[in-house]
Amino acid sequence: MLNARGWLFVALGAFTIVWLWAWFRSKNRAPGVPSLFELFLGMITNFFDTLGIGSFAPSASVFKFRHMMPDEQIPGTLNVGHALPTLLEAFLFIAIVKVDILTLVLLMAASVCGAWFGAGIVAKWPRRWVQIGMGIALLAAASFFLMTNLNLLPAGGNALILQHWRLGVGVVGSLFLGALMTLGIGLYGPCMILVSLLGMDPHAAFPIMMGSCAFLMPAASVRFIQAGSYSPRISLGLALGGLPGVLIAAFIVKSLSLTAVRWLVVVAVVYAAFAMLRSAMQGSAAARKPAGVPSAEEAKAKLY
């Protein structure tokens, strides 16, 4: 007879099957062959995600640097592409770190609800709104990396369970963080702060974060897939490359000094955030330009 944690694994497996069915049944079910770079990007970002860096902010930064897709497709591509590796991470961390099952299930369920409604909104946003939201989300992610490196995150306690009002606060917080996840802010830093402030062992953030993402990312992905607001080929590359990245980190490397990596990520993410916000400002200026009036670049070109 399965215990509660066993049924959670069954639910994860069922969720994986339903999500794969939704992806393969979508109108973009022939995405093309991912490039070696896209596969490598999936492997390296999910490798560091398993070790606690996160995959959303680094991936979004690379997408922006290399102009790999329209900006409005970035949130959907992040959620669709990283969903399968995150499901694998959830199986591993839920088995390793024994967080109270009621606490785990309620926080995960709240995150899924937040992601479902958040993705339904974000998938319909125009490009400029996505650029502004992504820019703010990336700056928030950079601040979490910075706080980690400077040891400014709350120390937390040693509990693996939330009770009474703390459980209620955890559920509400997870609902909000799930909605933010659809913009690409990532869940590791915010989840670590939330559980630590509530007196939990910081290690509890791993199964809560991975388990929440394992349910909320497929849930959000379905909304993005239905809206066609993602890059099918790049998402496939992230998924296929990400699976071995997770296994290498979990079973071979296991632990690594990540301070220098976080500093590099801070620089890259801040640059990408300002590039995203600058694109939004340029788009706003272009929208305000009267019809028939050339831009400064167009006027300069006419002189030559």
Side-chain angles (χ1 to χ4, degrees):
M1 186 70 178
L2 289 175
N3 59 17
R5 198 170 299 272
W7 282 112
L8 182 56
F9 288 132
V10 171
L12 278 172
F15 222 68
T16 303
I17 293 171
V18 171
W19 174 75
L20 287 172
W21 179 85
W23 191 4
F24 290 131
R25 292 281 295 176
S26 70
K27 59 185 178 181
N28 294 315
R29 58 182 177 272
V33 179
S35 67
L36 288 177
F37 178 80
E38 291 158 0
L39 292 167
F40 176 76
L41 179 62
M43 184 180 73
I44 197 69
T45 52
N46 284 284
F47 170 85
F48 284 117
D49 187 59
T50 308
L51 295 177
I53 285 288
S55 59
F56 270 32
S59 299
S61 301
V62 173
F63 293 161
K64 187 62 178 175
F65 290 155
R66 294 176 61 92
H67 306 287
M68 294 174 67
M69 69 194 71
D71 290 341
E72 63 268 25
Q73 291 185 359
I74 292 179
T77 304
L78 292 172
N79 280 276
V80 177
H82 288 300
L84 195 58
T86 302
L87 283 159
L88 177 58
E89 291 176 39
F91 277 103
L92 297 175
F93 282 103
I94 290 174
I96 294 171
V97 184
K98 303 298 183 181
V99 175
D100 171 66
I101 193 66
L102 180 62
T103 301
L104 186 62
V105 169
L106 289 180
L107 266 59
M108 290 192 303
S111 297
V112 173
C113 291
W116 176 259
F117 290 108
I121 296 171
V122 174
K124 299 175 183 177
W125 277 5
R127 175 180 297 190
R128 181 169 177 268
W129 289 15
V130 173
Q131 289 170 331
I132 294 172
M134 284 289 299
I136 295 172
L138 287 171
L139 288 176
S143 69
F144 291 128
F145 290 129
L146 191 62
M147 291 169 66
T148 301
N149 270 10
L150 297 177
N151 296 316
L152 296 178
L153 293 179
N158 54 15
L160 292 175
I161 183 174
L162 291 177
Q163 295 176 307
H164 310 303
W165 67 268
R166 286 185 173 85
L167 182 57
V169 172
V171 168
V172 173
S174 295
L175 183 72
F176 181 68
L177 296 182
L180 290 179
M181 181 83 175
T182 60
L183 264 177
I185 194 173
L187 193 61
Y188 177 74
C191 183
M192 178 73 76
I193 292 174
L194 177 64
V195 301
S196 297
L197 287 174
L198 292 173
M200 295 189 76
D201 187 330
H203 291 96
F206 279 89
I208 293 172
M209 171 188 66
M210 301 304 185
S212 296
C213 291
F215 286 105
L216 73 84
M217 286 172 65
S221 296
V222 172
R223 305 297 292 270
F224 286 115
I225 290 170
Q226 291 172 343
S229 184
Y230 76 112
S231 170
R233 191 195 74 247
I234 296 175
S235 296
L236 182 61
L238 294 178
L240 295 180
L243 294 175
V246 171
L247 294 174
I248 292 170
F251 294 111
I252 299 177
V253 177
K254 297 183 180 180
S255 64
L256 190 68
S257 177
L258 300 174
T259 302
V261 176
R262 288 194 194 96
W263 284 118
L264 290 174
V265 172
V266 167
V267 174
V269 169
V270 169
Y271 180 87
F274 281 107
M276 195 74 72
L277 294 172
R278 183 182 63 185
S279 296
M281 292 174 63
Q282 291 173 341
S284 178
R288 291 195 301 266
K289 188 184 70 173
V293 177
S295 64
E297 289 79 7
E298 292 169 340
K300 184 177 179 181
K302 289 181 178 179
L303 294 176
Y304 295 96

